[in-house]
Amino acid sequence: MSKHETFDLVIAANRLPVDRVVQPDGTVEWHRSPGGLVTAMDSVMRGRDGAWVGWAGEAGEAPEPFEEAGMWLHPVPLDADEIAQYYEGLSNDTLWPIYHDVIVPARFHRAWWRVYRTVNERFADAVSKVAAEGATVWIHDYQLQLVPALVRERRPDVKIGWFNHIPFPPVELFAQLPWRQQILEGLLGADYLGFQRVADAGNFVRACRQLLGLTTKGEVVTTSSQPARQVRASAVPISIDYAELEALSRTPEVRARAKEIRASLGNPKTLLLGVDRLDYTKGIRHRLKAYEELLADGKIAPPDITFVQVATPSRERVDAYKRLRTEIETTVGRINGMYSGIGAAAVHYLHHSYPREEMAALFLAADVMLVTPLRDGMNLVAKEYVTCRHDLGGALVLSEFTGAYHELHQAFVCNPHDIEGLKNTILRAIQTDPKDKRRIMRSLRRRIANHDVQQWASRFLANLDAAPHKPRRKAGEEAQPDAQAPPATDSPLVHRS
Ligand code: GDG
């Protein structure tokens, strides 16, 4: 492969799927970042000519394009100011809160928007450069919402898909964005748009109708361009590499480590676990509040119970994240001060990231997994927990405000805003007869096994492939049906008592 070559499949995401590692002798190596997206792309790139366009993770000049793990990686440079304005600012301090129900207020700065646009143009230039004639271009996530239209301007010959990893907000919230029109027009440059939930796709279509005055029919939006095009928006919920993680969790090393973790925690009767990026969307405060009240009520007490919270560092230069960290750490300190004994901590709070093997061992060790986001596009942790429980042990407490809920509604479902309800759900997850819990776990596992990340990727690409690329069909012709299985339906928000 050479850097002058072009590719049939081009992925564009904010980050490249590699991390720069400097060896003790000063040489630089690129290590593949672990994670579902890379695995999913691996499966679709196998046997195809694939390139990935993204930021390499450090400010300043980008490294030359290079090949890693069978993919051609094309770095896009970002300087420190662009990282502050496009990434930390517009992406994570404006769009992220608006797209997650404004759990914290969004901040609007016209300078951030200008840089967001500049960076999106740079990504579009890079994609246009590496895409072969008639290539398929798959753009990821909220950082790159202008790229679909910018690529179309430059390369009308390519097929363009975009997938949103986070929710798409109701029109009342989306309408707050001063740049709402530009964003919708940016996305409508795609041939196909994929969302996590049916409701997210519906929110997008509604925004096009209400804010741009476009004609919509079901999942299809007709653009006002000349000639008009039809753009389909539908749900393709993301998943994980079930087979790979399942196999990892069955290894003797991971099983032994799970036992060791329990032993080092004093073999509690009940081990509660939370694993999240330290983000205000994840409902960590609500979960700690429920736990603290259960301790205060005398319903649970260490050493019979303990709670391990892994809170992976995230976006540490954004003010809302700094405030959240202080608040969580103060709360953990107070709970431990009040309720821990010597050698019997009420909460083990771990503010670092761990290797995948350790995560699998933690999942296998935990009796109750607490997944309590206030809003979450999908939540892969819920799927990973279930996947690791080949022993059919454990119980999943799952917020109804996650995308995962729409596939895993047999879990112990909670509304994290309802602290009393959350407390009851946690107690129920602890106390339910193990036979019933095994039955629940079996059905949750079946769902993930049958809807893994490889299937997600091929479904997205099949939908993109089936999308009408060329301008508008003749009157009377229907939009094309979903290429494979129907999307997960929006189930009614029904709680099991
Ligand atoms: C966005 C959307 C959507 C976490 N700590 C460690 C670690 N992790 C891994 C988890 C999981 C991933 O990171 C987190 O994924 P989530 O889905 O939970 O959440 P976001 O980061 O917010 O992701 C989300 C997702 O995109 C995919 O579309 O589901 O809704 O917000 O895989 O296991 N992994 C390791 N060490 C850690 O310490 N190795």
Side-chain angles (χ1 to χ4, degrees), residues 96 165 196 238 277 282 312 353-356 359 376-381 384:
W96 183 269
H165 289 258
Q196 301 277 26
I238 198 169
R277 268 187 316 98
K282 302 291 182 183
T312 314
S353 59
Y354 288 92
R356 294 181 58 257
M359 303 303 285
D376 211 336
M378 176 52 64
N379 195 290
L380 296 180
V381 168
E384 289 163 356

Side-chain angles (χ1 to χ4, degrees), residues 9 44 48 136 138 192 456-466:
L9 176 63
V44 296
R48 294 175 79 152
T136 295
W138 185 351
Y192 171 68
W456 165 75
S458 49
R459 234 179 102 193
F460 180 93
L461 288 173
N463 284 346
L464 174 55
D465 207 41

Side-chain angles (χ1 to χ4, degrees), residues 371-373 396-402 405-406 408-426 428 440 491-497:
V371 178
T372 60
L396 173 65
V397 169
L398 181 61
S399 160
E400 66 194 38
F401 303 115
T402 60
Y405 161 75
H406 296 272
L408 304 176
H409 38 83
Q410 302 93 328
F412 292 87
V413 172
C414 69
N415 166 5
H417 297 283
D418 170 11
I419 299 296
E420 216 47 52
L422 179 55
K423 286 160 66 181
N424 289 334
T425 307
I426 294 172
R428 215 156 40 78
I440 294 170
S491 345
L493 296 179
V494 178
H495 286 217
R496 292 174 314 115
S497 57

Side-chain angles (χ1 to χ4, degrees), residues 34-37 96 100 141-142 163-167 196 238-240 275-277 279 281-282 310-315 352-357 359 363 375-382 384 403 456:
L37 193 54
W96 183 269
H100 288 90
D141 234 356
Y142 61 105
F163 180 77
N164 196 28
H165 289 258
I166 69 173
Q196 301 277 26
I238 198 169
S239 195
I240 57 159
V275 172
D276 314 81
R277 268 187 316 98
D279 194 299
T281 60
K282 302 291 182 183
V310 177
T312 314
S314 182
R315 305 175 190 172
H352 20 243
S353 59
Y354 288 92
R356 294 181 58 257
E357 295 71 16
M359 303 303 285
F363 289 144
R375 181 58 73 196
D376 211 336
M378 176 52 64
N379 195 290
L380 296 180
V381 168
E384 289 163 356
W456 165 75

Side-chain angles (χ1 to χ4, degrees), residues 110-129:
R110 282 165 283 184
W112 290 357
W113 171 256
R114 284 193 287 274
V115 178
Y116 181 84
R117 185 171 173 98
T118 305
V119 171
N120 272 245
E121 280 167 354
R122 193 174 303 148
F123 270 82
D125 288 339
V127 168
S128 307
K129 192 168 158 196

Side-chain angles (χ1 to χ4, degrees), residues 70-83:
M71 278 179 219
W72 186 248
L73 303 184
H74 188 99
V76 174
L78 293 181
D79 65 27
D81 188 51
E82 288 166 343
I83 295 165

